[in-house]
């Protein structure tokens, strides 16, 4: 049986699914989508199809192409619904309308940009990351794409970017009635992990205990199911010290690069040693610089490869240098068909039949690489707490999947294999 493309996660950070055994509903920007037979993975498709390009069967390739089409439809609809806030950049990616970002500009570069018609909206310093950013207003009458080209031509030596948007998942369908939330917590709580962990996502619900929370978008912090699931997974596996930066709130243009940079600066100043990011967007010079600066402070960044399928563009921040890129597998160790790709993959973790809690503190079943990411993060946090070479420790813990040794689909192996199961 072929998996219809519409059963797959449309939302890059991961899908929150109903706890119904045969049929579920996924709420997406295109409406509710049926999810029959959701348990299949890439392995099933490869078992039933002739191998093609990069080892994908013809059937798997068809599904990858359809996932890519779904991604394009999702972005187009987001743009259509928010034209006053969002537009496309030179590459066709979505970004905040009418703004250009310049990192650490010289006076000469700023003079050239002013002569080209740009004006300063604001200047700010992200102290913890030693990062100076200037927000520029695009000249009247110019599209963002044309303005970006003009800025690069006017100041070729400047580090120029737009404020690209990064995606997370949507809302969930019906919650699980299989067990009370207290039973879920009691049955799945892991050994205590004291490493300070930062989360860049939406905010969790009010029942989740945190060290601190701060908003970096209009209406933030605002409780979300996606953010709640991430916090729940970490807490259930033993994380004791969590800081949450909400980069979404109620802002349709939330999840932008500048919000993530500001959030990363706050988490760095709060003493977080590890930051988990279950968001995906295009490559962005400002965010890349911020992540590099955080890494120089000794902070480890863990990020999801996304759910747009293997034909999608490389996922960022997972694809930035030295970011720990995480993919998802089902409970049989098969790669999720919707798992996106990054320029490198470090580890896999369960991304299907994952149990956590929503914003109301009720159990839900999760699917997507968003939810594999905190499971890798908690194992990494435990390795950091034990000091020494955290990567060597994780490599010893990981179970090799696929071809012997490190590979492009599963990285260096599967971590947290028994995590977040139904009690």
């Amino acid at each position: 049986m072929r998996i219809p493309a519409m059963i797959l996660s449309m939302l890059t950070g991961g899908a929150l699914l109903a706890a119904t055994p045969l049929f579920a509903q996924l709420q997406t920007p295109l409406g509710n989508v049926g999810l029959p037979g959701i348990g299949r993975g890439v392995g099933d498709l490869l078992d039933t199809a002739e191998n093609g390009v990069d080892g994908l069967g013809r059937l798997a390739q068809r599904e990858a192409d359809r996932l890519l089409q779904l991604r394009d439809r999702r972005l187009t609809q987001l743009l259509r619904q928010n034209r006053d806030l969002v537009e496309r950049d030179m590459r066709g990616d979505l970004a905040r309308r009418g703004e250009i970002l310049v990192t650490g500009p010289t006076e000469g570069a700023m003079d050239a940009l002013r002569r080209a018609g740009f004006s300063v909206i604001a200047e700010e310093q992200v102290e913890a990351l030693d990062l100076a950013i200037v927000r520029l207003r695009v000249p009247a009458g110019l599209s963002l794409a044309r303005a970006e080209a003009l800025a690069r031509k006017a100041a070729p030596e400047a580090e120029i970017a737009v404020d690209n948007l990064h995606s997370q998942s949507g809302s969930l369908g019906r919650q699980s009635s299989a067990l009370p939330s207290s039973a879920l917590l009691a049955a799945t709580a892991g050994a205590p992990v004291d490493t300070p962990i930062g989360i860049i996502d939406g905010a969790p619900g009010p029942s989740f205990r945190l060290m601190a929370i701060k908003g970096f978008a209009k209406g933030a912090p605002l409780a979300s199911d996606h953010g709640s699931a991430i916090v729940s997974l970490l807490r259930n596996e033993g994380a004791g010290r969590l800081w949450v930066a909400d980069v979404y709130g109620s802002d349709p243009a939330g999840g932008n690069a500048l919000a993530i940079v500001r959030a990363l600066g706050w988490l760095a100043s709060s003493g977080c040693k590890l930051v988990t990011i279950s968001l995906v967007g295009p490559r962005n010079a400002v965010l890349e610089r911020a992540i590099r600066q955080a890494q120089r402070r000794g902070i480890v960044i863990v990020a999801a490869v996304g759910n747009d399928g293997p034909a999608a563009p490389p996922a960022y921040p997972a694809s930035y240098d030295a970011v720990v890129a995480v993919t998802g597998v089902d409970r049989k160790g098969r790669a999720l068909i919707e798992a996106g790709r990054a320029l490198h993959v470090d580890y896999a973790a369960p991304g299907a039949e994952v149990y956590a809690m929503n914003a109301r503190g009720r159990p839900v079943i999760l699917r997507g690489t968003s939810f594999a990411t905190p499971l890798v993060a908690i194992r990494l946090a435990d390795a950091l707490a034990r000091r020494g070479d955290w990567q060597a420790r994780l490599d010893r813990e990981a179970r090799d999947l696929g071809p012997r040794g490190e590979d492009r689909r599963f990285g260096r192996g599967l971590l947290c294999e028994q995590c977040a199961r139904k009690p």
Side-chain angles (χ1 to χ4, degrees), residues 21 44 83 96 155 183 188 271 303 305 337 363 387 390 393 399 401 423:
D44 294 308
R83 289 191 180 279
R96 185 175 286 276
T188 61
V305 302
I337 182 61
R387 305 188 182 278
W390 61 262
R393 185 179 294 275
R399 180 166 73 87
L401 297 175

Side-chain angles (χ1 to χ4, degrees), residues 318-391:
S319 288
Y320 294 132
D321 288 346
V323 170
V324 179
V326 178
T327 191
V329 299
D330 66 16
R331 289 297 181 179
K332 294 182 179 179
R334 301 169 301 189
L336 300 184
I337 182 61
E338 69 268 34
R341 68 185 183 95
L343 297 182
H344 62 275
V345 176
D346 292 285
Y347 298 102
E353 297 178 74
V354 173
Y355 281 77
M357 292 193 294
N358 64 12
R360 293 187 294 171
R362 295 315 234 169
V364 288
I365 301 176
L366 312 172
R367 182 181 174 100
T369 63
S370 265
F371 311 114
T373 302
L375 300 182
V376 169
I378 192 63
R379 300 311 308 140
L380 201 157
D382 181 66
L384 286 174
R386 296 172 187 272
R387 305 188 182 278
D389 186 340
W390 61 262
Q391 183 173 309

Side-chain angles (χ1 to χ4, degrees), residues 247-258:
V247 295
Y248 286 99
S250 58
D251 190 349
N256 55 77
L258 186 55

